[in-house]
Amino acid sequence: MSEAYDALLLVSFGGPEHPDDVLPFLANVTRGRGVPPERLAEVAEHYQHFGGVSPINQQCRDLLREVEKGTDLPVYWGNRNWHPMLADTVAKMRDDGVQRALAFVTSAYGGYSSCRQYLEDIAAARAAVGPSAPVIDKLRHFHDHPGFVEPHADALRAARGTLPPGGNVRVVFTAHSVPVSMAATAGPDGGRYEAQLHETAALVSAAGAPGLPWDLVWQSRSGPPHVPWLEPDVNDHLAALAADGVTGVVVSPIGFVSDHLEVIWDLDNEAASTAKRLGLDYARAATPGTDPRFVAMVHDLVRERVNARESARRSRLGSLPVWDTCPVGCCPPPRRGSG
């Protein structure tokens, strides 16, 4: 492994760790996206509700610690939107003599914001560091890897077990909404983000709640109101289910790898409150976090990238095509003002 690559880089979204960090962090996240000021203020309040601290950075530290235990490669960590910033981490890698690294991004899916933008972030960080920056290759999508699917399935089963027996129960899978135009151009042929999520939902449902009906819905919209985003929103969907006679829901956030703020606020607070108002029994399934199978998946993705025999027998449960290097031009960036 060390002959081909001499480091592993964990790349994540980042989050504030102090109340004074919140607005500068949100400015980084939304720069150039036309997010209305009132939406920015609303999201800032979500962070302040938790003392201005997002759990995502600590979750990355925890994952980093567990990944380090299973590899002889040095493991680094850099974020898109908050410290440790990716460019600073790449500079540290250069100073440590790293020449070639693999990057594990904490997003399982294809699409501009979930894949292509991270590639752009890596390229920008390398450009900022200069010609001596290490080469950094991103690991593939892992939406159907057993190490991602199985923890979600077990969490779904456990959450279902907390609801009263009987009743008309439905599974609601959630992922981050994106502009409709971005979803349409995801992947080399379009529609990859939604297709992968539908495949993950089917796999998790079959393993964790066979026989229960399920839906895939969306959460955490942040764009201008005039721009169409993927719908329905989870709260609107809960209202529709209650009107149809559903008595209980298990919400499974398959779009996420850890319980960061968009999970604990949008689902544990807003969606849970919506369910209570509607009289629905409500349970939220956990995300993989540092589940040993998820950690082992990171090591597996590294092995398959550097070993031809491992690559030929990728660990995966689905049937959608996968690849190591994204085609040029797939997942184009959204036009300014389009979300």
Side-chain angles (χ1 to χ4, degrees), residues 130-163:
S132 57
V135 172
I136 301 173
D137 296 326
K138 179 182 175 294
L139 292 166
R140 69 169 175 89
H141 304 158
F142 53 88
H143 78 285
D144 65 343
H145 194 287
F148 182 66
V149 171
E150 291 171 3
H152 272 300
D154 286 353
L156 173 59
R157 187 181 304 108
R160 172 66 181 93
T162 68
L163 294 183

Side-chain angles (χ1 to χ4, degrees), residues 216-273:
L216 173 64
V217 303
W218 311 97
Q219 63 171 91
S220 311
R221 177 196 167 120
S222 61
H226 67 278
V227 176
W229 281 49
L230 293 177
E231 295 179 337
D233 176 79
V234 59
N235 295 283
D236 296 336
H237 188 65
L238 293 180
L241 291 180
D244 285 345
V246 171
T247 61
V249 292
V250 184
V251 174
S252 173
I254 57 169
F256 306 94
V257 304
S258 65
D259 287 5
H260 57 66
L261 189 124
E262 287 178 318
V263 174
I264 62 175
W265 177 266
D266 293 356
L267 298 182
D268 295 352
N269 187 306
E270 290 186 341
S273 296

Side-chain angles (χ1 to χ4, degrees), residues 87-164:
D88 295 335
T89 300
V90 174
K92 174 75 163 59
M93 294 166 70
R94 175 205 59 195
D95 294 346
D96 289 347
V98 173
Q99 295 185 333
R100 296 187 69 205
L102 285 169
F104 174 76
V105 171
T106 57
S107 171
Y109 302 96
Y112 176 72
S113 60
S114 52
C115 180
R116 174 63 63 180
Q117 191 174 5
Y118 281 109
L119 291 171
E120 293 177 352
D121 294 336
I122 291 169
R126 294 186 66 245
V129 171
S132 57
V135 172
I136 301 173
D137 296 326
K138 179 182 175 294
L139 292 166
R140 69 169 175 89
H141 304 158
F142 53 88
H143 78 285
D144 65 343
H145 194 287
F148 182 66
V149 171
E150 291 171 3
H152 272 300
D154 286 353
L156 173 59
R157 187 181 304 108
R160 172 66 181 93
T162 68
L163 294 183

Side-chain angles (χ1 to χ4, degrees), residues 10-320:
L10 171 65
V11 184
S12 193
F13 191 81
E17 297 194 273
H18 186 276
D20 292 342
D21 297 343
V22 173
L23 287 178
F25 161 75
L26 290 176
N28 288 342
V29 174
T30 60
R31 186 170 289 112
R33 290 177 51 193
V35 176
E38 58 272 18
R39 173 59 179 166
L40 216 58
E42 179 185 348
V43 175
E45 281 301 312
H46 299 171
Y47 284 97
Q48 298 298 357
H49 180 83
F50 297 96
V53 179
S54 167
I56 193 170
N57 271 7
Q58 186 56 50
Q59 290 162 0
C60 283
R61 292 186 186 97
D62 294 342
L63 179 60
L64 192 77
R65 182 186 65 247
E66 296 305 312
V67 169
E68 284 177 327
K69 295 177 182 178
T71 180
D72 58 352
L73 296 175
V75 185
Y76 296 82
W77 164 41
N79 289 326
R80 168 185 290 173
N81 296 301
W82 203 246
H83 307 287
M85 298 298 287
L86 190 54
D88 295 335
T89 300
V90 174
K92 174 75 163 59
M93 294 166 70
R94 175 205 59 195
D95 294 346
D96 289 347
V98 173
Q99 295 185 333
R100 296 187 69 205
L102 285 169
F104 174 76
V105 171
T106 57
S107 171
Y109 302 96
Y112 176 72
S113 60
S114 52
C115 180
R116 174 63 63 180
Q117 191 174 5
Y118 281 109
L119 291 171
E120 293 177 352
D121 294 336
I122 291 169
R126 294 186 66 245
V129 171
S132 57
V135 172
I136 301 173
D137 296 326
K138 179 182 175 294
L139 292 166
R140 69 169 175 89
H141 304 158
F142 53 88
H143 78 285
D144 65 343
H145 194 287
F148 182 66
V149 171
E150 291 171 3
H152 272 300
D154 286 353
L156 173 59
R157 187 181 304 108
R160 172 66 181 93
T162 68
L163 294 183
N168 182 5
V169 176
R170 197 168 186 96
V171 176
V172 177
F173 293 108
T174 71
H176 205 299
S177 185
V178 298
V180 170
S181 59
M182 186 187 294
T185 57
D189 302 311
R192 183 166 177 82
Y193 181 63
E194 292 173 276
Q196 287 178 316
L197 279 158
H198 276 284
E199 184 164 71
T200 302
L203 292 168
V204 172
S205 172
L212 281 185
W214 60 268
D215 308 291
L216 173 64
V217 303
W218 311 97
Q219 63 171 91
S220 311
R221 177 196 167 120
S222 61
H226 67 278
V227 176
W229 281 49
L230 293 177
E231 295 179 337
D233 176 79
V234 59
N235 295 283
D236 296 336
H237 188 65
L238 293 180
L241 291 180
D244 285 345
V246 171
T247 61
V249 292
V250 184
V251 174
S252 173
I254 57 169
F256 306 94
V257 304
S258 65
D259 287 5
H260 57 66
L261 189 124
E262 287 178 318
V263 174
I264 62 175
W265 177 266
D266 293 356
L267 298 182
D268 295 352
N269 187 306
E270 290 186 341
S273 296
T274 297
K276 183 177 181 180
R277 175 175 56 80
L278 295 167
L280 291 170
D281 293 321
Y282 182 91
R284 198 268 292 174
T287 50
T290 56
D291 185 289
R293 293 166 294 184
F294 185 66
V295 175
M297 180 200 75
V298 179
H299 302 145
D300 185 50
L301 294 175
V302 172
R303 282 192 299 270
E304 75 169 40
R305 187 61 174 266
V306 301
N307 185 310
R309 277 184 294 182
E310 294 281 349
S311 181
R313 54 172 189 267
R314 298 180 193 269
S315 296
R316 52 191 309 259
L317 301 172
S319 60
L320 291 173

